[in-house]
Amino acid sequence: MPLAAFCTLLVLALAACTPGKSSQPMTLAHFENFCKVFPTPNSCDSTTICGDFANVLSTQASDLDACLARCRRTKNHLQPTNIINNCAGTLSRASDLCAQFCRQNHAQ
């Protein structure tokens, strides 16, 4: 794992565990960093997949359901191509992070 990615992840993990701090919603920059971290050997390039999800998240959704629907549509659109080219794991991670972004930014 690249040292910069490890350090970024460590700082974020420590910040999330700091007592007395209120949890902040995930930002678009955090989404992109989490989405692109941890490449594995022979894995696909996550830049395009993560970029497509980030593009969807870059405009404000009206509510949680609308945001989650955008995540599902994006995953469904990308799935046929990426399921056969060793990108299923990356697509799944990006989709999960998209839903997490929605839940954190549209708390009910």
Side-chain angles (χ1 to χ4, degrees), residues 37-54:
V37 75
F38 299 130
T40 57
N42 301 320
S43 68
C44 68
D45 180 16
S46 61
T47 305
T48 303
I49 292 171
C50 295
D52 286 351
F53 278 96

Side-chain angles (χ1 to χ4, degrees), residues 45-66:
D45 180 16
S46 61
T47 305
T48 303
I49 292 171
C50 295
D52 286 351
F53 278 96
N55 187 42
V56 166
L57 295 174
S58 67
T59 56
Q60 182 71 24
S62 58
D63 59 21
L64 177 59
D65 290 336

Side-chain angles (χ1 to χ4, degrees), residues 5-106:
F6 176 76
C7 290
T8 301
L9 184 61
L10 182 61
V11 168
L12 292 172
L14 290 173
C17 296
T18 304
K21 294 262 185 184
S22 63
S23 178
Q24 296 294 320
M26 184 187 300
T27 65
L28 190 56
H30 286 136
F31 167 82
E32 291 178 298
N33 288 335
F34 287 138
C35 188
K36 293 176 185 175
V37 75
F38 299 130
T40 57
N42 301 320
S43 68
C44 68
D45 180 16
S46 61
T47 305
T48 303
I49 292 171
C50 295
D52 286 351
F53 278 96
N55 187 42
V56 166
L57 295 174
S58 67
T59 56
Q60 182 71 24
S62 58
D63 59 21
L64 177 59
D65 290 336
C67 189
L68 291 172
R70 287 179 181 184
C71 295
R72 281 190 302 274
R73 282 193 304 270
T74 303
K75 181 180 181 182
N76 290 341
H77 173 74
L78 295 173
Q79 200 159 20
T81 303
N82 290 290
I83 203 78
I84 58 173
N85 65 1
N86 203 28
C87 292
T90 301
L91 180 60
S92 179
R93 181 176 64 227
S95 177
D96 291 347
L97 284 169
C98 187
Q100 182 179 352
F101 178 96
C102 291
R103 288 187 176 91
Q104 288 185 12
N105 284 279
H106 296 281

